Amino acid sequence: MELVVQFQVLNQSCQCLAWKPCPVDAWGAESQHVVAGYSDGTIRVFSISRTEMDLKMHPHSVALTAIAYSTDGEMILSGGKDGLVAVSSPRTGMTIHVLADHKGSPITVLQCTRKQYRDFGVEGGELWLATSSDRRVSVWASDWLNDKCELLDWLSFPAPAVPEGLGSLPPSLAAFCPWEPGILVYVGFGMRKEALFYSLQKKQVVEKISLPYFATSLSLSPAARFMAVGFGERLLRLLCCPASDAQDYVGHDDAIHLCRFAPSGQRLLTASHSAVLIWELTGT
């Protein structure tokens, strides 16, 4: 529990970051990289082992709001405040694609996954999704080596008029379900306070889980059927899916804006304005 490595970029704020995925049997120091997106539209790739910056790219003209590696680590997906999504190669430093489908609304989530893409009648090495703050989610099938990127599904979730006096809306968040192929989970400002499970095969919502408030953060465990949801009311809810059991936890003194399960599923990290908490899940 001590600071090991620190990277500092002067006069810019880091808006988002992601670890480069590593092969299961190769967790050596040489393979550890982090990509970070900044307020000036730049992307920087840092080597943890060498404690230095490997690459700097500038695919955006506005601040970045989301970033992710492809599942093989060969591509970097980045989303900006203007809704543009860029696909860049960390090997060459070149931006290969710029997608404008979400233009006009900040990107809130980018996520890649190895899924049964053939089940959907398209070719590609992985599926990935982009979510924007206007409650829209796009799902794509991509084959990066062959320069293919195909839109698979487009979701738009309705919402009521914004209540008076509300300073900002809860974020729109989506994630692929690790334990249910072809399912993605969505939370955001809408007609009801709930988490929606959407089937890419059936093209419809197949399950709804009621929530006490609108969610401000979301994470699904990669190791068990658990979903963590954080709220602006300083509450953390752990759900066992299907929604047979829910446990609420307090401990934060501000809105919980980040939830992340560890790859093992044994621990959960949550963050608020001034605190980072690590929870240990027993019996998982």
Side-chain angles (χ1 to χ4, degrees), residues 262-275:
S264 65
Q266 299 295 316
R267 291 185 176 179
L268 173 69
L269 181 145
T270 59
S272 60
H273 174 70
S274 60

Side-chain angles (χ1 to χ4, degrees), residues 216-217 230-232 234-236 252 254-259 270-272:
T216 52
S217 53
F231 303 98
R234 301 173 290 180
L235 180 72
L236 172 68
H252 284 282
D254 207 334
I256 303 174
H257 62 77
L258 180 72
C259 293
T270 59
S272 60

Side-chain angles (χ1 to χ4, degrees), residues 29-47:
E30 288 300 319
S31 63
Q32 294 186 7
H33 289 82
V34 169
V35 61
Y38 288 85
S39 54
D40 62 350
T42 58
I43 292 173
R44 290 171 171 85
V45 178
F46 298 100
S47 168

